Amino acid sequence: MSLRRKSCDACFKGRRKCDLGYPTCATCRKTRKTCHYVYPPIHQTRGLGGPTTAQTVCSSTSSITTTSASSVTELLEALDSFTPDSLFDAGAISGFFGQYTQLPENRATSSPGQSIFENLQSSMSLPDTPHAPPNIHIFLGSLGEVQPIESSAPAWEWVIDKLKSYPREFAQRTETIFLHRELYRETLPQPIRAAYGVSSTHCLVSETNREMLFRVIDSEVHELLKPSHETELLPELARLQAFVFYQTVRFFHGNIEQRVTAEQQQGLVMTMALKLLARSQAEIGDNEAGNWRTWILAESIRRTVIVVYFIYGINSVFRDGICVGLHTLVKLPLSTTISSWDSESNHLNHLRTGTTIPYETFLSHWLASTPRKLDPFEKLLLVPCQGLDTVELYDSAV
């Protein structure tokens, strides 16, 4: 008989009976305490009557096919009451980069020229009305040991190169994959004017003007942090997109001090992104289906939020070996009519314009479409999860 202590630290100190649930026992789940075992149980199961990590992940994958405004609002409310440590789940984090490589049971072929998103319309059922908001645990997962993210170095390098190129791309082309060329055609908010100036200066940065560049960024971020009284979506989107450019320069082109400053503003920027997404879903609703410019606004918000989570997620992978905000990232909505981004006529021809699916649903179905030339946004979504070689093979097999 082994004399090693089996109960977790919290139950041992409190002299309570431990059910040996792993990675979190029932008592620690109930009291929201960190559950740590000196000697992890041999049978890694959850507490009596509690769902396993795998069951939680499966339920989150199968029960959600659309993302509604109420679900995002519910997530915001949940985030206010949870600590950062509660955003990580061992099974979901390790599974995110491995569980989406299997083909769906009902494979569907696609026509040349169709994007992965548009093929989903024929390979899966999209209900006309959204499901009821999922339980909070689906978003946040269970407390427990954080497992490292595993992916190939070329994939991470490729994603970083793409993210760090957006300020230069904005300065040179006045657009990026998340900032549409028509977005500020009629009005140019001050945050975007300032971000364009910073992005242009960034293209000419040298040892002599580097300090001035980051002083300007610090000043502009200070302005963005002031309370906003804007009632329209476009100015709020401009503020968030300006943050994206500034944080990108800080993370990928700044020194340690600049990166620490960007990390300190992580919670603020992520919350700002989710609130804007919830507003857009509530205020725009079905209106994006009938107007291309309205769809561009809604899609720009969706893509900007995705990029925000990518920037902070990639930084956390290299800093700590985990992906911060992963549970939120996989639930973020993606448009199923991505080709509308480049063509108003495509927008008008789509019957399901305005339909969105969670990011995780897109990842689990991407192999169902015929290999084709990928849209740049599609490729950004796929590379960190599927690997650069796999995605490029798919991209070139036409």
Side-chain angles (χ1 to χ4, degrees):
M1 176 179 179
S2 174
L3 297 179
R4 295 189 305 178
R5 172 163 64 86
K6 297 181 179 181
S7 60
C8 70
D9 291 348
C11 290
F12 179 76
K13 292 179 181 179
R15 297 185 179 182
R16 295 185 295 268
K17 181 178 176 63
C18 183
D19 70 348
L20 305 183
Y22 187 87
T24 309
C25 72
T27 302
C28 289
R29 286 203 308 275
K30 183 177 180 180
T31 59
R32 294 183 181 177
K33 291 183 178 180
T34 300
C35 191
H36 177 264
Y37 289 89
V38 177
Y39 303 102
I42 296 176
H43 301 290
Q44 297 183 2
T45 59
R46 299 292 293 259
L48 297 176
T52 64
T53 299
Q55 289 172 336
T56 302
V57 175
C58 290
S59 64
S60 66
T61 304
S62 61
S63 64
I64 301 177
T65 55
T66 60
T67 304
S68 64
S70 57
S71 64
V72 175
T73 303
E74 186 174 337
L75 174 57
L76 279 170
E77 295 173 350
L79 291 176
D80 290 337
S81 61
F82 281 76
T83 63
D85 289 341
S86 68
L87 297 179
F88 305 112
D89 174 78
I93 289 180
S94 61
F96 178 59
F97 292 89
Q99 67 175 314
Y100 299 112
T101 58
Q102 300 297 322
L103 283 170
E105 294 182 1
N106 298 321
R107 295 188 60 183
T109 58
S110 62
S111 302
Q114 282 188 310
S115 71
I116 294 173
F117 292 82
E118 289 150 5
N119 285 316
L120 291 176
Q121 297 182 24
S122 59
S123 64
M124 64 181 294
S125 175
L126 294 176
D128 295 328
T129 56
H131 287 218
N135 295 328
I136 293 302
H137 76 84
I138 293 179
F139 284 122
L140 302 180
S142 61
L143 296 175
E145 181 183 0
V146 178
Q147 300 294 334
I149 295 293
E150 297 180 0
S151 186
S152 62
W156 295 127
E157 292 172 0
W158 185 91
V159 174
I160 289 175
D161 285 341
K162 289 300 177 184
L163 294 175
K164 69 192 297 186
S165 70
Y166 292 144
R168 181 179 297 273
E169 184 176 327
F170 179 45
Q172 294 176 341
R173 301 178 53 203
T174 68
E175 64 177 338
T176 67
I177 64 167
F178 61 90
L179 193 156
H180 197 278
R181 62 184 180 276
E182 297 291 332
L183 192 60
Y184 301 109
R185 182 74 69 182
E186 298 179 357
T187 180
L188 194 61
Q190 192 280 331
I192 290 298
R193 298 199 302 268
Y196 185 77
V198 168
S199 298
S200 299
T201 303
H202 165 67
C203 295
L204 304 173
V205 69
S206 65
E207 291 304 319
T208 57
N209 67 3
R210 181 180 298 273
E211 180 183 357
M212 178 60 75
L213 171 64
F214 286 106
R215 286 178 60 188
V216 171
I217 290 178
D218 290 340
S219 297
E220 293 301 330
V221 169
H222 180 72
E223 291 297 317
L224 291 175
L225 291 176
K226 292 181 179 179
S228 173
H229 302 290
E230 294 289 350
T231 58
E232 301 294 328
L233 287 172
L234 187 61
E236 285 299 295
L237 174 59
R239 293 177 67 239
L240 181 61
Q241 289 179 332
F243 255 122
V244 169
F245 291 122
Y246 299 149
Q247 304 300 56
T248 299
V249 175
R250 278 174 161 172
F251 272 130
F252 303 122
H253 304 281
N255 55 22
I256 293 294
E257 181 181 357
Q258 291 295 329
R259 290 196 291 272
V260 169
T261 300
E263 288 173 354
Q264 290 174 340
Q265 296 164 352
Q266 171 182 305
L268 173 71
V269 179
M270 283 183 163
T271 301
M272 179 180 176
L274 287 179
K275 287 183 176 180
L276 181 61
L277 179 61
R279 273 194 61 191
S280 69
Q281 291 181 319
E283 295 178 16
I284 294 178
D286 296 333
N287 293 331
E288 62 178 288
N291 186 294
W292 186 50
R293 291 186 179 276
T294 303
W295 181 87
I296 287 174
L297 173 60
E299 178 67 0
S300 296
I301 291 174
R302 288 189 286 263
R303 293 189 180 198
T304 302
V305 174
I306 286 279
V307 172
V308 165
Y309 273 81
F310 261 58
I311 291 173
Y312 283 109
I314 290 295
N315 176 68
S316 66
V317 166
F318 277 87
R319 185 190 63 194
D320 303 317
I322 59 175
C323 183
V324 67
L326 178 62
H327 281 82
T328 305
L329 176 62
V330 298
K331 302 300 177 185
L332 294 179
L334 303 174
S335 173
T336 61
T337 56
I338 193 173
S339 63
S340 296
W341 185 262
D342 295 318
S343 171
E344 183 175 5
S345 60
N346 285 346
H347 173 81
L348 297 175
N349 290 332
H350 286 305
L351 298 178
R352 300 192 69 97
T353 299
T355 301
T356 62
I357 57 173
Y359 183 15
E360 64 179 354
T361 301
F362 162 69
L363 291 173
S364 64
H365 287 80
W366 80 285
L367 285 175
S369 59
T370 302
R372 59 178 293 279
K373 189 67 177 176
L374 291 171
D375 177 271
F377 183 55
E378 290 177 295
K379 194 168 183 178
L380 176 68
L381 296 172
L382 290 169
V383 168
C385 309
Q386 304 295 343
L388 183 60
D389 291 341
T390 301
V391 175
E392 287 189 337
L393 180 64
Y394 179 98
D395 191 30
S396 62
V398 293

